[in-house]
């Protein structure tokens, strides 16, 4: 049979207690400590459970239960003193059931051992009245609380982990916020396109030579903007066809402040045309190239005013409101507000070469 492995124990335990009855005080702590150490060492050697035993008992404190109380005066309560001590114990054992707690309790675990201990103490001064001793009380073992500075995850590592987590949350929040803004802008753009379609406008990517704002449809009247024009000259009264009239060369023309106007139009003349467009979609694409006045860029075949407008016509007014400084989008918004009207007056300028 394989012998059981030998276990070596070396431990110091504080808070051990035993009660000595019949006396009120331990006279000499040093004498008690030596006598108790010698007695315990003998018990361990005779146990047959331990080898290489080293023991040292050190007196710590005492609590007297003697007094002048009524119960003690009547002899109802025996005199006693509770001794608290510390014991250092080192030994080897092959008995796995002989734990440290059992080893600490062993010297006074039987009545025979207690009687022998009483006899040992009575050899000292002050123990003549000793009548009994109690078994040894071993304090409950409390598992130590791990020190965060010496075990587990270091405190600085925990702080770094927390900071990384906070940073990750901030980054995630910014990403979500950016996506929401992008989605919001996209939805706004789609809604704008829907508005343009409602009034006959549709978004269009600018081609070469076109401005950033190119939109389908148009609207404006120019009789009032051009001082010399009269409503009677508009052919809109004749079933919505175009009315044309030569732009006056008087100084009150809307382009009179531009010194290059006459040079640009040498060999031709400008016509101001009023078009009365029906409600709904107009099917006309306009552009604002180089931040200039809105210009007709394309006309759909299905446009209700396809026979009245031409590519290159400048849209200058919608229902007599000047739109030359507006972008195509702003013009489209203006027209969309009027999409339910039975008629919308669009004023355009068309350059016509002299024949």
């Amino acid at each position: 049979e394989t012998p059981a492995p030998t276990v070596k124990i070396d431990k110091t335990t504080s808070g051990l207690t035993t009660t000595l009855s019949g006396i009120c005080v331990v006279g000499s702590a040093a004498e008690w400590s030596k006598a108790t150490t010698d007695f315990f060492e003998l018990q361990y050697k005779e146990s047959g459970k331990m080898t290489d035993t080293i023991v040292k008992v050190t007196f710590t404190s005492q609590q007297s239960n003697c007094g002048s109380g009524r119960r003690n005066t009547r002899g109802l309560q025996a005199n006693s003193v509770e001794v608290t001590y510390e014991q250092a114990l080192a030994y080897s054992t092959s008995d796995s059931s002989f734990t440290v707690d059992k080893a600490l309790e062993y010297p006074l675990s039987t009545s025979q051992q207690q009687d022998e201990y009483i006899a040992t103490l009575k050899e000292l001064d002050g123990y003549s009245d000793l009548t009994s001793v109690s078994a040894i009380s071993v304090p409950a073992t409390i598992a130590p609380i791990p020190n965060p500075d010496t075990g587990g995850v270091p405190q600085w590592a925990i702080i770094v982990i927390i900071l990384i987590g906070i940073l990750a949350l901030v980054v995630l929040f910014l990403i979500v916020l950016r996506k929401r803004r992008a989605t919001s802008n996209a939805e706004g753009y789609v809604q704008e396109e829907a508005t343009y379609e409602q009034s006959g406008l549709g978004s269009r990517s600018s081609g070469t030579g076109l401005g950033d704002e190119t939109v389908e449809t148009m609207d404006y009247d120019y009789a009032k903007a051009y001082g010399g024009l009269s409503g009677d000259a508009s052919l809109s009264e004749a079933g919505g066809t175009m009315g044309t009239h030569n732009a006056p060369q008087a100084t009150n023309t809307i382009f009179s402040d531009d010194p290059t106007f006459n040079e640009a139009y040498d060999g031709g003349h400008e016509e101001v045309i009023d078009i009365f467009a029906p409600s709904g979609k107009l099917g006309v694409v306009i552009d604002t190239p180089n931040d200039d006045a809105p210009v007709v860029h394309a006309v759909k075949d299905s446009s209700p005013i396809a026979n009245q407008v031409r590519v290159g016509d400048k849209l200058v007014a919608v229902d007599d409101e000047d739109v030359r400084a507006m972008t195509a989008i702003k013009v489209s918004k203006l027209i969309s507000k009027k999409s339910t009207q039975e008629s919308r007056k669009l004023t355009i300028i068309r350059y016509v070469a002299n024949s």
Side-chain angles (χ1 to χ4, degrees):
E1 242 182 77
T2 304
T6 300
V7 178
K8 293 184 178 180
I9 304 296
D10 188 350
K11 184 177 180 181
T12 299
T13 306
S14 301
L16 299 165
T17 60
T18 184
T19 300
L20 310 180
S21 299
I23 61 174
C24 295
V25 65
V26 172
S28 171
E31 288 183 353
W32 180 90
S33 297
K34 185 178 183 309
T36 303
T37 297
D38 293 341
F39 180 80
F40 283 10
E41 186 174 10
L42 178 62
Q43 298 303 310
Y44 288 137
K45 288 181 179 179
E46 294 178 349
S47 68
K49 297 177 179 292
M50 309 162 67
T51 59
D52 304 323
T53 306
I54 299 175
V55 59
K56 181 179 180 181
V57 176
T58 303
F59 179 92
T60 302
S61 64
Q62 58 181 318
Q63 177 66 47
S64 176
N65 295 320
C66 301
S68 58
R70 181 176 299 178
R71 289 176 59 84
N72 190 58
T73 306
R74 295 177 180 178
L76 299 178
Q77 179 176 326
N79 294 332
S80 64
V81 59
E82 182 181 72
V83 179
T84 302
Y85 63 95
E86 177 183 273
Q87 179 174 330
L89 180 62
Y91 63 94
S92 298
T93 181
S94 58
D95 186 351
S96 59
S97 65
F98 195 66
T99 62
V100 175
D101 284 357
K102 287 184 177 181
L104 293 171
E105 295 171 348
Y106 179 76
L108 298 178
S109 59
T110 66
S111 59
Q112 181 180 348
Q113 290 171 320
Q114 293 170 10
D115 290 341
E116 291 177 358
Y117 182 56
I118 291 172
T120 298
L121 292 180
K122 281 190 174 184
E123 294 179 359
L124 305 176
D125 293 337
Y127 294 94
S128 58
D129 293 334
L130 180 62
T131 58
S132 65
V133 295
S134 69
I136 297 170
S137 177
V138 179
T141 302
I142 301 175
I145 299 175
N147 188 341
D149 295 331
T150 59
V153 181
Q155 189 172 6
W156 65 265
I158 295 175
I159 295 174
V160 170
I161 292 172
I162 292 174
L163 291 177
I164 291 175
I166 293 174
L167 181 61
L169 290 175
V170 171
V171 172
L172 180 61
F173 173 77
L174 294 177
I175 292 174
V176 172
L177 183 62
R178 186 171 182 178
K179 285 185 177 180
R180 285 185 177 178
R181 286 180 177 176
T183 302
S184 177
N185 291 339
E187 289 177 352
Y189 180 70
V190 171
Q191 290 174 0
E192 251 184 359
E193 284 192 342
T195 302
Y196 303 155
E197 280 296 334
Q198 187 176 17
S199 65
L201 297 178
S203 65
R204 176 192 172 281
S205 299
S206 298
T208 304
L210 300 180
D212 293 334
E213 307 286 355
T214 302
V215 192
E216 291 185 21
T217 293
M218 347 176 309
D219 276 21
Y220 191 22
D221 179 353
Y222 234 56
K224 295 181 181 178
Y226 291 87
L229 304 181
S230 70
D232 294 337
S234 173
L235 297 183
S236 61
E237 296 174 352
T241 59
M242 290 190 291
T244 66
H245 38 125
N246 294 337
Q249 302 299 319
T251 57
N252 63 345
T253 175
I254 58 173
F255 297 105
S256 60
D257 293 334
D258 185 353
T260 65
F261 174 75
N262 291 329
E263 296 178 6
Y265 287 90
D266 285 346
H269 65 278
E270 181 186 69
E271 291 184 352
V272 178
I273 303 173
D274 293 333
I275 300 173
F276 288 87
S279 60
K281 297 180 180 180
L282 300 183
V284 176
V285 179
I286 61 174
D287 179 32
T288 50
N290 303 320
D291 295 328
D292 205 349
V295 176
V296 176
H297 178 75
V299 182
K300 294 183 178 180
D301 293 338
S302 60
S303 172
I305 56 174
N307 63 337
Q308 301 180 59
V309 295
R310 299 177 186 175
V311 173
D313 288 347
K314 289 186 178 181
L315 176 63
V316 292
V318 176
D319 287 340
D320 296 334
E321 182 177 345
D322 192 344
V323 298
R324 288 173 298 162
M326 295 185 184
T327 63
I329 289 179
K330 289 183 179 179
V331 173
S332 69
K333 288 183 178 180
L334 176 62
I335 297 173
S336 68
K337 293 179 182 179
K338 303 172 180 290
S339 61
T340 57
Q341 296 179 186
E342 293 184 2
S343 176
R344 287 166 289 178
K345 182 180 179 181
L346 310 179
T347 301
I348 64 172
I349 293 179
R350 179 179 300 161
Y351 176 73
V352 179
N354 292 332
S355 55

